[in-house]
C-alpha cells in the first residue's frame, strides 16, 4: 500500500479542522453529516472555544487520479500558542505538513513558529492558502507573504483552497500524493515505533499512538518500551478512522494505536520507542524532551476532595503536559498544585474538570517558577513554583525569574501600540524585521508578564491582527517580592503571590480594594491587608453585616441597639482566624490586577 503521513499545521483558526473534515469527507472516511459536526474537535471545550486542544490522527484511503489507492495518515494539530508541544510531537511522526494560511489574515506568528518546527523536523512543507471564498480574502497578498517569509519554499507551488466549500481540496490531495515522500520504512527490520501520543482509558489502561519507522507490529508478539524498559503483551492494535479500528498487523510506515493494558501511565512516555521483545531494534529513536510547565496554580475542590482527586488524576493521565502534585492549603484544605503549558491550558483544564467530570474547582492565582539562592552561603538554588514556599526576604541572596523570547507579528500601522504594550510589560527590545506590511518584533520579556493576560491584551489592542509566539530564553536576576494577604489578621496562604518590586505598591492597593467587594462579609468588620517584607503596605476594612442589631431590632431602644453593635464590633478580637469561605472571585481579584 502507498502511504503518506502528514500533519496539518497553521495559526489558530486558519482552518485546520475544517480542512481535516473535508479530507475525511472526500476520502469517504466519514459522511457529510458527520463532517458538519466537526468530528475531530470532539471535546466539549474544543467545541465551546472552537479550537483544537489535542492532536488527532486519522487514516483515510484516497483513490488518486493515477488510479491507485493511497493510505493517508494525517494528524490535525492545535494552533494555540500554548500547545506548540502537541505540534512538535505530531510532526515527528510524519514526512510532511500542510501549512495552511488564512487569506483573510495572512502569515501570523504561529504560522511562522509552526513552519520552523516543521523545518527543524526536516519534513516537507506544502503551503496552502485557505478561505479564498471569503469576501475579505487577499489571496495574492497572502501568497506573496508566504514567499517572503519562507524563502525556502520558493519552488513550492502554493495551492488556493476553500476548506469550507471544498474548492481546491482535491488538488491538495493530489499534491500530497506527488510531493510528499512515502515513508522509507523497512518491513523486514526489527520493529522501531515512536510513541507520539497517549491516552488513558479506565478499562484498557494506557493507549499509545505510534508511528512505525521500521518493522511490522503484530498483535501476538510481546512488545518492549525501550526507555522505561517495560515489556507487555498488547491487548489490541489498530488504526484510527477516526474511531479505533482493530487490526491484526500494522506495517512499517503506518500510524496506529496500541492498547498496552498498562495501568501506570509513567511507563508509557511520549517519545519512547516501542520494539519487539524477542527481536529488538538496536537503537532507539531520539524522542523529545518532556513538556515544560510554564504556569503553576493551586486547584482546590469547591465540593469534596475525593471527587476532585479522582477527576484530576484521570485528566492528568490523558494530558501528559498537565503536572499534578498534592498540596494542602490552610484556607482551602487539601487540593493540588498543578503545572500548565500556559494560562489557556489552565482554563481548558478547569473547563474539562467541569464538563467531563462535573467537578467545580477554585483556582488560585497563577505563578511562574523562580530560582532562589539563599544567603546562607550553601550555594544551593531552590526552585520555587508555589509562592507559599517562597523563602522569607531576609534569607534570600538572589532571585532569578524565567525570561521568554517572544515574537510579535503585527501590521505596520499598529506597531506603536504593540511596542508600548511590550514596554509596559518590561519587554526588552531585541530586533525588528519587516515583511511587506507586517512587522515582526522580537523581545525578551519576563514570563510572569506575559503568562496571564498579555495574549488577550494584545488581541484586543490590535483587534486580533497581531499575533504572538514564545520560547523560553533563560533565567535572569529579578527584583521580586512575596506578597502575603491577611484577612481579619490571619494569613490566607492561597492568596500569597510574587510580583516585581516596582509594581507591588500599586498591585497591593488594587488587590485589597477588590477584595473588599468579594470577600464574604461577617458580623464584624474585617481588615484586609497586603504584607510585604513584614510591613502592611495596603489595607481596607470590609464593613460588617449588621442585620441582627440594626435591622431586626425595632423592639429595642436606641441605646440597646448601639450596645449590640458595639458587641458585634468587639467580636473581631476573637479575630485572627481564617474560617472565611473564599469564593473563586477572591482569586480572580489577583488575576485581573494590571
Ligand atoms: P484551531 O484548531 O483552533 O487552531 O482552529 P482551526 O485552524 O482548526 O480552524 P477551524 O477549522 O476551526 O476554522 C476556524 C473558522 O474558520 C471556522 O469558523 C471555520 O468555519 C472558518 N473557516 C475554515 N475554513 C474556511 C474557508 O475556507 N472559508 C471560510 N469562509 N471560512 C472558513
Amino acid at each position: 500500500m502507498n502511504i503518506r503521513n502528514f500533519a496539518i499545521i497553521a495559526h489558530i483558526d486558519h482552518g485546520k479542522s475544517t480542512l481535516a473534515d473535508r479530507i475525511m469527507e472526500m476520502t469517504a472516511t466519514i459522511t457529510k453529516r458527520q463532517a458538519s459536526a466537526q468530528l475531530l474537535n470532539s471535546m466539549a471545550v474544543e467545541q465551546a472555544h472552537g479550537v483544537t486542544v489535542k492532536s488527532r490522527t486519522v487514516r483515510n484511503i484516497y483513490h488518486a487520479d493515477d488510479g491507485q489507492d493511497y493510505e493517508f495518515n494525517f494528524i490535525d494539530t492545535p494552533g494555540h500558542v500554548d500547545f506548540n508541544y502537541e505540534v512538535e510531537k505530531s510532526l515527528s511522526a510524519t514526512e510532511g505538513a500542510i501549512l495552511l494560511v488564512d487569506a483573510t489574515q495572512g502569515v501570523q506568528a504561529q504560522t511562522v513558529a509552526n513552519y520552523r518546527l516543521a523545518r527543524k523536523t526536516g519534513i516537507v512543507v506544502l503551503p496552502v492558502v485557505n478561505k479564498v471564498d471569503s469576501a475579505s480574502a487577499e489571496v495574492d497578498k497572502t501568497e506573496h507573504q508566504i514567499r517572503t517569509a519562507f524563502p525556502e519554499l520558493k519552488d513550492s507551488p502554493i495551492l488556493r483552497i476553500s476548506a469550507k466549500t471544498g474548492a481546491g481540496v482535491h488538488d491538495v490531495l493530489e499534491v500530497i500524493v506527488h510531493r510528499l515522500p512515502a515513508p522509507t520504512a523497512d518491513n523486514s527490520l526489527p520493529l522501531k515505533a515512536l510513541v507520539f501520543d497517549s491516552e488513558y482509558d479506565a478499562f484498557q489502561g494506557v493507549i499509545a499512538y505510534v508511528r512505525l519507522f521500521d518493522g511490522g507490529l503484530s498483535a501476538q508478539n510481546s512488545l518492549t518500551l525501550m526507555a522505561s524498559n517495560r515489556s507487555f503483551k498488547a491487548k489490541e492494535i489498530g488504526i484510527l478512522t477516526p474511531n479505533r479500528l482493530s487490526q491484526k498487523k500494522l506495517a512499517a510506515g503506518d500510524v496506529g494505536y496500541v492498547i498496552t493494558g498498562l495501568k501506570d501511565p509513567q511507563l508509557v512516555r511520549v517519545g519512547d520507542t516501542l520494539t519487539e521483545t524477542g527481536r529488538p531494534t538496536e537503537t532507539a529513536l531520539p524522542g523529545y524532551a518532556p513538556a515544560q510547565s510554564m504556569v503553576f496554580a493551586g486547584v482546590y475542590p469547591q465540593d469534596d476532595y475525593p471527587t476532585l482527586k479522582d477527576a484530576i488524576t484521570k485528566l492528568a493521565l490523558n494530558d501528559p503536559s498537565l503536572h499534578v502534585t498534592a498540596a494542602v492549603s490552610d484556607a482551602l484544605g487539601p487540593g493540588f498544585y498543578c503545572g500548565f503549558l500556559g494560562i489557556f491550558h489552565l482554563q481548558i483544564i478547569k473547563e474539562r474538570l467541569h464538563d467531563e467530570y462535573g467537578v467545580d474547582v477554585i483556582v488560585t492565582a497563577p505563578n511562574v517558577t523562580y530560582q532562589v539562592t539563599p544567603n546562607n552561603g550553601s550555594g544551593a538554588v531552590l526552585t520555587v513554583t508555589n509562592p507559599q514556599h517562597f523563602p522569607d526576604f531576609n534569607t534570600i541572596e538572589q532571585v532569578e525569574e524565567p525570561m521568554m523570547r517572544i515574537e510579535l507579528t503585527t501590521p505596520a500601522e499598529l506597531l506603536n501600540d504593540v511596542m508600548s504594550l511590550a514596554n509596559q510589560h518590561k519587554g526588552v527590545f531585541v530586533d525588528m524585521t519587516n515583511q511587506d506590511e507586517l512587522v515582526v518584533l522580537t523581545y525578551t520579556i519576563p514570563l510572569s508578564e506575559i503568562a496571564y493576560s498579555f495574549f488577550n491584551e494584545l488581541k484586543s489592542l490590535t483587534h486580533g491582527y497581531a499575533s504572538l509566539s514564545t520560547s523560553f530564553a533563560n533565567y535572569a536576576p529579578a527584583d521580586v517580592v512575596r506578597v502575603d494577604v491577611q484577612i481579619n489578621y490571619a494569613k490566607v496562604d492561597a492568596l500569597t503571590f510574587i510580583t516585581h518590586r516596582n509594581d507591588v505598591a500599586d498591585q497591593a492597593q488594587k488587590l485589597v480594594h477588590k477584595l473588599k467587594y468579594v470577600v464574604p462579609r461577617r458580623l464584624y468588620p474585617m481588615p484586609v491587608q497586603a504584607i510585604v517584607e513584614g510591613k502592611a503596605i495596603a489595607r481596607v476594612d470590609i464593613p460588617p453585616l449588621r442585620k441582627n442589631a440594626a435591622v431586626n431590632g425595632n423592639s429595642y431602644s436606641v441605646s440597646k441597639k448601639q450596645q449590640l453593635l458595639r458587641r458585634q464590633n468587639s467580636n473581631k478580637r476573637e479575630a485572627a482566624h481564617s474560617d472565611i469561605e473564599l469564593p473563586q472571585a477572591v482569586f480572580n481579584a489577583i488575576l485581573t490586577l494590571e
Side-chain angles (χ1 to χ4, degrees), residues 23-171:
I23 294 178
M24 289 193 287
E25 195 185 296
M26 291 172 74
T27 52
T29 308
I30 55 168
T31 63
K32 245 198 167 70
R33 223 180 81 226
Q34 286 173 313
S36 69
Q38 271 236 354
L39 206 68
L40 288 189
N41 285 349
S42 52
M43 274 189 232
V45 272
E46 293 184 319
Q47 302 207 334
H49 293 270
V51 300
T52 310
V53 167
K54 202 166 167 53
S55 299
R56 282 194 186 75
T57 311
V58 187
R59 169 182 292 196
N60 308 264
I61 301 299
Y62 174 56
H63 188 70
D65 291 356
D66 64 9
Q68 295 193 44
D69 280 343
Y70 288 83
E71 173 189 319
F72 279 7
N73 294 303
F74 77 70
I75 307 180
D76 180 24
T77 62
H80 192 280
V81 57
D82 275 10
F83 298 109
N84 266 353
Y85 179 68
E86 283 282 317
V87 178
E88 198 171 349
K89 286 191 307 188
S90 312
L91 291 176
S92 52
T94 67
E95 275 76 39
I98 297 177
L99 179 71
L100 210 56
V101 186
D102 180 342
T104 66
Q105 292 211 314
V107 170
Q108 297 285 315
Q110 290 307 304
T111 319
V112 180
N114 287 331
Y115 174 75
R116 286 204 193 122
L117 285 178
R119 293 266 308 165
K120 198 170 102 187
T121 329
I123 61 175
V124 177
V125 176
L126 305 173
V128 173
V129 175
N130 187 29
K131 305 199 188 178
V132 297
D133 63 294
S134 165
S136 50
E138 296 185 280
V139 183
D140 291 332
K141 187 172 144 193
T142 305
E143 195 171 314
H144 185 69
Q145 280 178 354
I146 295 175
R147 296 257 182 242
T148 20
F150 314 123
E152 304 85 359
L153 295 180
K154 67 179 189 309
D155 297 329
S156 178
I158 298 182
L159 298 179
R160 301 171 166 205
I161 67 161
S162 164
K164 193 168 170 183
T165 65
V169 179
H170 175 77
D171 295 339

Side-chain angles (χ1 to χ4, degrees), residues 164-190:
K164 193 168 170 183
T165 65
V169 179
H170 175 77
D171 295 339
V172 175
L173 301 178
E174 285 296 313
V175 161
I176 291 167
V177 167
H178 295 294
R179 290 188 57 96
L180 286 194
T184 51
D186 189 339
N187 240 333
S188 63
L189 289 174

